[in-house]
mmCIF file of all heavy atoms in Angstrom:
data_model
loop_
_atom_site.group_PDB
_atom_site.id
_atom_site.type_symbol
_atom_site.label_atom_id
_atom_site.label_comp_id
_atom_site.label_asym_id
_atom_site.label_seq_id
_atom_site.Cartn_x
_atom_site.Cartn_y
_atom_site.Cartn_z
ATOM 1 N N GLY A 25 3.826 4.969 2.805
ATOM 2 C CA GLY A 25 2.614 4.284 3.080
ATOM 3 C C GLY A 25 2.975 3.113 4.023
ATOM 4 O O GLY A 25 4.090 2.957 4.432
ATOM 5 N N PRO A 26 2.197 2.138 4.302
ATOM 6 C CA PRO A 26 2.381 0.983 5.198
ATOM 7 C C PRO A 26 3.684 0.191 4.805
ATOM 8 O O PRO A 26 4.460 -0.219 5.582
ATOM 9 C CB PRO A 26 1.249 0.078 5.110
ATOM 10 C CG PRO A 26 0.059 1.118 4.803
ATOM 11 C CD PRO A 26 0.652 2.084 3.914
ATOM 12 N N GLY A 27 3.797 0.016 3.381
ATOM 13 C CA GLY A 27 4.969 -0.712 2.941
ATOM 14 C C GLY A 27 6.169 -0.056 3.281
ATOM 15 O O GLY A 27 7.242 -0.674 3.721
ATOM 16 N N VAL A 28 6.260 1.187 3.102
ATOM 17 C CA VAL A 28 7.454 1.961 3.360
ATOM 18 C C VAL A 28 7.717 2.078 4.920
ATOM 19 O O VAL A 28 8.987 1.854 5.212
ATOM 20 C CB VAL A 28 7.332 3.562 2.851
ATOM 21 C CG1 VAL A 28 8.423 4.440 3.380
ATOM 22 C CG2 VAL A 28 7.304 3.543 1.305
ATOM 23 N N PHE A 29 6.679 2.047 5.711
ATOM 24 C CA PHE A 29 7.008 2.173 7.146
ATOM 25 C C PHE A 29 7.534 0.831 7.571
ATOM 26 O O PHE A 29 8.317 0.706 8.520
ATOM 27 C CB PHE A 29 5.687 2.498 7.910
ATOM 28 C CG PHE A 29 5.338 4.024 7.751
ATOM 29 C CD1 PHE A 29 3.928 4.382 7.333
ATOM 30 C CD2 PHE A 29 6.324 5.055 7.820
ATOM 31 C CE1 PHE A 29 3.587 5.609 7.202
ATOM 32 C CE2 PHE A 29 5.943 6.314 7.616
ATOM 33 C CZ PHE A 29 4.630 6.570 7.294
ATOM 34 N N TYR A 30 6.923 -0.273 7.031
ATOM 35 C CA TYR A 30 7.425 -1.646 7.322
ATOM 36 C C TYR A 30 9.065 -1.588 7.028
ATOM 37 O O TYR A 30 9.737 -2.149 7.858
ATOM 38 C CB TYR A 30 6.752 -2.649 6.596
ATOM 39 C CG TYR A 30 7.302 -3.994 6.668
ATOM 40 C CD1 TYR A 30 7.190 -4.705 7.835
ATOM 41 C CD2 TYR A 30 8.115 -4.503 5.631
ATOM 42 C CE1 TYR A 30 7.795 -6.026 8.039
ATOM 43 C CE2 TYR A 30 8.615 -5.689 5.776
ATOM 44 C CZ TYR A 30 8.556 -6.544 6.802
ATOM 45 O OH TYR A 30 9.024 -7.789 6.940
ATOM 46 N N ILE A 31 9.298 -1.376 5.739
ATOM 47 C CA ILE A 31 10.765 -1.362 5.368
ATOM 48 C C ILE A 31 11.717 -0.352 6.200
ATOM 49 O O ILE A 31 12.789 -0.888 6.522
ATOM 50 C CB ILE A 31 10.907 -0.876 3.922
ATOM 51 C CG1 ILE A 31 10.260 -1.987 3.010
ATOM 52 C CG2 ILE A 31 12.332 -0.806 3.450
ATOM 53 C CD1 ILE A 31 9.885 -1.601 1.611
ATOM 54 N N LEU A 32 11.227 0.736 6.563
ATOM 55 C CA LEU A 32 11.967 1.592 7.651
ATOM 56 C C LEU A 32 12.218 1.024 8.853
ATOM 57 O O LEU A 32 13.234 1.037 9.474
ATOM 58 C CB LEU A 32 11.254 2.957 7.697
ATOM 59 C CG LEU A 32 11.163 3.940 6.432
ATOM 60 C CD1 LEU A 32 10.469 5.177 6.674
ATOM 61 C CD2 LEU A 32 12.709 4.281 6.120
ATOM 62 N N ALA A 33 11.062 0.328 9.378
ATOM 63 C CA ALA A 33 11.220 -0.347 10.641
ATOM 64 C C ALA A 33 12.315 -1.348 10.614
ATOM 65 O O ALA A 33 13.122 -1.560 11.592
ATOM 66 C CB ALA A 33 9.859 -0.907 11.010
ATOM 67 N N ARG A 34 12.210 -2.176 9.578
ATOM 68 C CA ARG A 34 13.222 -3.193 9.494
ATOM 69 C C ARG A 34 14.599 -2.715 9.395
ATOM 70 O O ARG A 34 15.564 -3.136 10.081
ATOM 71 C CB ARG A 34 12.938 -4.089 8.178
ATOM 72 C CG ARG A 34 12.103 -5.207 8.464
ATOM 73 C CD ARG A 34 12.522 -6.250 9.255
ATOM 74 N NE ARG A 34 11.593 -7.494 9.093
ATOM 75 C CZ ARG A 34 11.879 -8.603 9.929
ATOM 76 N NH1 ARG A 34 12.940 -8.499 10.786
ATOM 77 N NH2 ARG A 34 11.116 -9.551 9.757
ATOM 78 N N THR A 35 14.836 -1.534 8.534
ATOM 79 C CA THR A 35 16.110 -0.969 8.448
ATOM 80 C C THR A 35 16.719 -0.388 9.728
ATOM 81 O O THR A 35 17.845 -0.659 10.065
ATOM 82 C CB THR A 35 16.096 0.052 7.400
ATOM 83 O OG1 THR A 35 15.469 -0.406 6.164
ATOM 84 C CG2 THR A 35 17.437 0.742 7.095
ATOM 85 N N LEU A 36 15.804 0.313 10.545
ATOM 86 C CA LEU A 36 16.185 0.993 11.721
ATOM 87 C C LEU A 36 16.556 -0.233 12.760
ATOM 88 O O LEU A 36 17.495 0.007 13.489
ATOM 89 C CB LEU A 36 15.237 1.828 12.251
ATOM 90 C CG LEU A 36 14.924 3.083 11.497
ATOM 91 C CD1 LEU A 36 13.775 3.965 12.039
ATOM 92 C CD2 LEU A 36 16.193 3.978 11.485
ATOM 93 N N ALA A 37 15.782 -1.314 12.704
ATOM 94 C CA ALA A 37 16.043 -2.331 13.649
ATOM 95 C C ALA A 37 17.239 -3.166 13.405
ATOM 96 O O ALA A 37 17.979 -3.734 14.313
ATOM 97 C CB ALA A 37 14.863 -3.239 13.755
ATOM 98 N N GLN A 38 17.522 -3.484 12.093
ATOM 99 C CA GLN A 38 18.550 -4.477 11.668
ATOM 100 C C GLN A 38 19.531 -3.994 10.702
ATOM 101 O O GLN A 38 20.328 -4.882 10.287
ATOM 102 C CB GLN A 38 17.722 -5.729 11.225
ATOM 103 C CG GLN A 38 16.971 -6.404 12.405
ATOM 104 C CD GLN A 38 16.133 -7.612 11.823
ATOM 105 O OE1 GLN A 38 15.102 -7.369 11.227
ATOM 106 N NE2 GLN A 38 16.485 -8.708 12.136
ATOM 107 N N GLY A 39 19.397 -2.884 10.095
ATOM 108 C CA GLY A 39 20.446 -2.380 9.215
ATOM 109 C C GLY A 39 20.103 -2.385 7.816
ATOM 110 O O GLY A 39 18.967 -2.895 7.309
ATOM 111 N N ARG A 40 21.008 -1.868 6.904
ATOM 112 C CA ARG A 40 20.652 -1.693 5.478
ATOM 113 C C ARG A 40 20.488 -3.014 4.750
ATOM 114 O O ARG A 40 19.523 -2.986 3.921
ATOM 115 C CB ARG A 40 21.893 -1.012 4.916
ATOM 116 C CG ARG A 40 21.667 -0.726 3.303
ATOM 117 C CD ARG A 40 22.828 0.166 2.797
ATOM 118 N NE ARG A 40 24.137 -0.590 2.928
ATOM 119 C CZ ARG A 40 25.274 0.068 2.732
ATOM 120 N NH1 ARG A 40 25.334 1.190 2.303
ATOM 121 N NH2 ARG A 40 26.410 -0.497 2.984
ATOM 122 N N ARG A 41 21.328 -4.126 5.047
ATOM 123 C CA ARG A 41 21.106 -5.266 4.361
ATOM 124 C C ARG A 41 19.670 -5.887 4.590
ATOM 125 O O ARG A 41 19.178 -6.452 3.819
ATOM 126 C CB ARG A 41 22.112 -6.341 4.624
ATOM 127 C CG ARG A 41 23.602 -5.817 4.236
ATOM 128 C CD ARG A 41 24.531 -6.922 4.492
ATOM 129 N NE ARG A 41 24.402 -8.228 3.781
ATOM 130 C CZ ARG A 41 24.909 -9.300 4.002
ATOM 131 N NH1 ARG A 41 25.638 -9.446 5.142
ATOM 132 N NH2 ARG A 41 24.681 -10.321 3.235
ATOM 133 N N ALA A 42 19.267 -5.784 5.945
ATOM 134 C CA ALA A 42 18.042 -6.250 6.236
ATOM 135 C C ALA A 42 16.862 -5.451 5.498
ATOM 136 O O ALA A 42 15.831 -5.936 5.095
ATOM 137 C CB ALA A 42 17.773 -6.199 7.756
ATOM 138 N N GLY A 43 17.123 -4.242 5.384
ATOM 139 C CA GLY A 43 16.125 -3.233 4.712
ATOM 140 C C GLY A 43 15.926 -3.716 3.241
ATOM 141 O O GLY A 43 14.880 -3.659 2.761
ATOM 142 N N LEU A 44 17.092 -3.807 2.571
ATOM 143 C CA LEU A 44 17.040 -4.259 1.187
ATOM 144 C C LEU A 44 16.463 -5.568 0.967
ATOM 145 O O LEU A 44 15.771 -5.688 -0.021
ATOM 146 C CB LEU A 44 18.556 -4.122 0.637
ATOM 147 C CG LEU A 44 19.123 -2.596 0.612
ATOM 148 C CD1 LEU A 44 20.596 -2.759 0.132
ATOM 149 C CD2 LEU A 44 18.245 -1.863 -0.312
ATOM 150 N N SER A 45 16.748 -6.442 1.917
ATOM 151 C CA SER A 45 16.114 -7.820 1.785
ATOM 152 C C SER A 45 14.470 -7.708 1.802
ATOM 153 O O SER A 45 13.761 -8.352 1.242
ATOM 154 C CB SER A 45 16.688 -8.835 2.983
ATOM 155 O OG SER A 45 17.945 -8.962 2.664
ATOM 156 N N SER A 46 14.078 -6.730 2.739
ATOM 157 C CA SER A 46 12.692 -6.584 2.953
ATOM 158 C C SER A 46 12.085 -5.931 1.694
ATOM 159 O O SER A 46 10.920 -6.184 1.255
ATOM 160 C CB SER A 46 12.470 -5.587 4.086
ATOM 161 O OG SER A 46 12.792 -6.216 5.318
ATOM 162 N N VAL A 47 12.900 -4.964 1.049
ATOM 163 C CA VAL A 47 12.491 -4.393 -0.234
ATOM 164 C C VAL A 47 12.261 -5.491 -1.270
ATOM 165 O O VAL A 47 11.166 -5.433 -1.997
ATOM 166 C CB VAL A 47 13.391 -3.417 -0.773
ATOM 167 C CG1 VAL A 47 13.118 -2.942 -2.141
ATOM 168 C CG2 VAL A 47 13.472 -2.185 0.166
ATOM 169 N N ALA A 48 13.222 -6.509 -1.359
ATOM 170 C CA ALA A 48 13.027 -7.412 -2.273
ATOM 171 C C ALA A 48 11.972 -8.338 -2.085
ATOM 172 O O ALA A 48 11.112 -8.705 -2.985
ATOM 173 C CB ALA A 48 14.390 -8.300 -2.328
ATOM 174 N N GLY A 49 11.640 -8.715 -0.836
ATOM 175 C CA GLY A 49 10.413 -9.577 -0.418
ATOM 176 C C GLY A 49 9.156 -8.809 -0.743
ATOM 177 O O GLY A 49 8.304 -9.374 -1.275
ATOM 178 N N VAL A 50 9.015 -7.614 -0.300
ATOM 179 C CA VAL A 50 7.785 -6.869 -0.610
ATOM 180 C C VAL A 50 7.647 -6.639 -2.049
ATOM 181 O O VAL A 50 6.476 -6.816 -2.547
ATOM 182 C CB VAL A 50 7.990 -5.365 0.033
ATOM 183 C CG1 VAL A 50 6.836 -4.487 -0.411
ATOM 184 C CG2 VAL A 50 7.880 -5.524 1.571
ATOM 185 N N ALA A 51 8.689 -6.425 -2.911
ATOM 186 C CA ALA A 51 8.563 -6.346 -4.279
ATOM 187 C C ALA A 51 7.983 -7.634 -4.926
ATOM 188 O O ALA A 51 7.147 -7.594 -5.720
ATOM 189 C CB ALA A 51 9.966 -5.950 -4.929
ATOM 190 N N LEU A 52 8.535 -8.845 -4.475
ATOM 191 C CA LEU A 52 7.970 -10.051 -5.008
ATOM 192 C C LEU A 52 6.486 -10.261 -4.596
ATOM 193 O O LEU A 52 5.725 -10.768 -5.451
ATOM 194 C CB LEU A 52 8.778 -11.135 -4.482
ATOM 195 C CG LEU A 52 8.573 -12.537 -5.109
ATOM 196 C CD1 LEU A 52 8.682 -12.628 -6.586
ATOM 197 C CD2 LEU A 52 9.369 -13.658 -4.346
ATOM 198 N N GLY A 53 6.171 -9.975 -3.357
ATOM 199 C CA GLY A 53 4.726 -10.079 -2.875
ATOM 200 C C GLY A 53 3.845 -9.149 -3.754
ATOM 201 O O GLY A 53 2.782 -9.485 -4.182
ATOM 202 N N ASN A 54 4.403 -7.834 -3.953
ATOM 203 C CA ASN A 54 3.399 -6.883 -4.805
ATOM 204 C C ASN A 54 3.378 -7.435 -6.290
ATOM 205 O O ASN A 54 2.397 -7.240 -6.958
ATOM 206 C CB ASN A 54 4.146 -5.579 -4.806
ATOM 207 C CG ASN A 54 3.909 -4.870 -3.456
ATOM 208 O OD1 ASN A 54 2.988 -5.175 -2.749
ATOM 209 N ND2 ASN A 54 4.791 -3.965 -3.069
ATOM 210 N N LEU A 55 4.485 -7.986 -6.764
ATOM 211 C CA LEU A 55 4.366 -8.521 -8.070
ATOM 212 C C LEU A 55 3.446 -9.644 -8.227
ATOM 213 O O LEU A 55 2.723 -9.585 -9.280
ATOM 214 C CB LEU A 55 5.792 -9.023 -8.538
ATOM 215 C CG LEU A 55 5.850 -9.554 -9.936
ATOM 216 C CD1 LEU A 55 5.464 -8.516 -10.900
ATOM 217 C CD2 LEU A 55 7.408 -10.167 -10.270
ATOM 218 N N ALA A 56 3.394 -10.524 -7.282
ATOM 219 C CA ALA A 56 2.331 -11.633 -7.180
ATOM 220 C C ALA A 56 0.984 -11.025 -7.299
ATOM 221 O O ALA A 56 0.099 -11.576 -7.896
ATOM 222 C CB ALA A 56 2.650 -12.504 -6.063
ATOM 223 N N ASN A 57 0.734 -9.965 -6.490
ATOM 224 C CA ASN A 57 -0.539 -9.427 -6.430
ATOM 225 C C ASN A 57 -0.831 -8.641 -7.729
ATOM 226 O O ASN A 57 -1.948 -8.614 -8.135
ATOM 227 C CB ASN A 57 -0.601 -8.298 -5.381
ATOM 228 C CG ASN A 57 -1.013 -8.967 -3.995
ATOM 229 O OD1 ASN A 57 -1.883 -9.648 -3.844
ATOM 230 N ND2 ASN A 57 -0.325 -8.612 -2.843
ATOM 231 N N ALA A 58 0.123 -8.099 -8.388
ATOM 232 C CA ALA A 58 -0.063 -7.469 -9.687
ATOM 233 C C ALA A 58 -0.513 -8.418 -10.739
ATOM 234 O O ALA A 58 -1.469 -8.281 -11.474
ATOM 235 C CB ALA A 58 1.136 -6.721 -10.084
ATOM 236 N N ILE A 59 0.132 -9.593 -10.736
ATOM 237 C CA ILE A 59 -0.302 -10.684 -11.732
ATOM 238 C C ILE A 59 -1.553 -11.234 -11.365
ATOM 239 O O ILE A 59 -2.358 -11.559 -12.226
ATOM 240 C CB ILE A 59 0.899 -11.708 -11.720
ATOM 241 C CG1 ILE A 59 2.262 -11.105 -12.221
ATOM 242 C CG2 ILE A 59 0.511 -12.918 -12.558
ATOM 243 C CD1 ILE A 59 3.432 -12.063 -12.159
ATOM 244 N N GLY A 60 -1.731 -11.359 -10.003
ATOM 245 C CA GLY A 60 -3.140 -11.853 -9.645
ATOM 246 C C GLY A 60 -4.167 -10.951 -9.950
ATOM 247 O O GLY A 60 -5.312 -11.390 -10.421
ATOM 248 N N ALA A 61 -3.954 -9.688 -9.792
ATOM 249 C CA ALA A 61 -5.014 -8.639 -10.313
ATOM 250 C C ALA A 61 -5.144 -8.789 -11.895
ATOM 251 O O ALA A 61 -6.352 -8.680 -12.212
ATOM 252 C CB ALA A 61 -4.468 -7.156 -9.963
ATOM 253 N N SER A 62 -4.192 -9.039 -12.564
ATOM 254 C CA SER A 62 -4.214 -9.210 -14.048
ATOM 255 C C SER A 62 -5.049 -10.352 -14.519
ATOM 256 O O SER A 62 -5.830 -10.316 -15.536
ATOM 257 C CB SER A 62 -2.996 -9.236 -14.652
ATOM 258 O OG SER A 62 -2.250 -8.094 -14.373
ATOM 259 N N ILE A 63 -5.138 -11.407 -13.659
ATOM 260 C CA ILE A 63 -5.756 -12.593 -14.024
ATOM 261 C C ILE A 63 -7.137 -12.821 -13.194
ATOM 262 O O ILE A 63 -7.739 -13.910 -13.192
ATOM 263 C CB ILE A 63 -5.061 -13.969 -13.884
ATOM 264 C CG1 ILE A 63 -4.481 -14.132 -12.483
ATOM 265 C CG2 ILE A 63 -3.749 -13.828 -14.819
ATOM 266 C CD1 ILE A 63 -3.743 -15.364 -12.242
#
Side-chain angles (χ1 to χ4, degrees):
V28 170
F29 290 130
Y30 168 78
I31 291 165
L32 289 176
R34 276 294 195 183
T35 305
L36 289 175
Q38 295 172 289
R40 183 174 58 186
R41 293 183 67 195
L44 292 175
S45 295
S46 296
V47 169
V50 167
L52 186 61
N54 285 339
L55 180 61
N57 273 313
I59 294 174
S62 298
I63 61 178

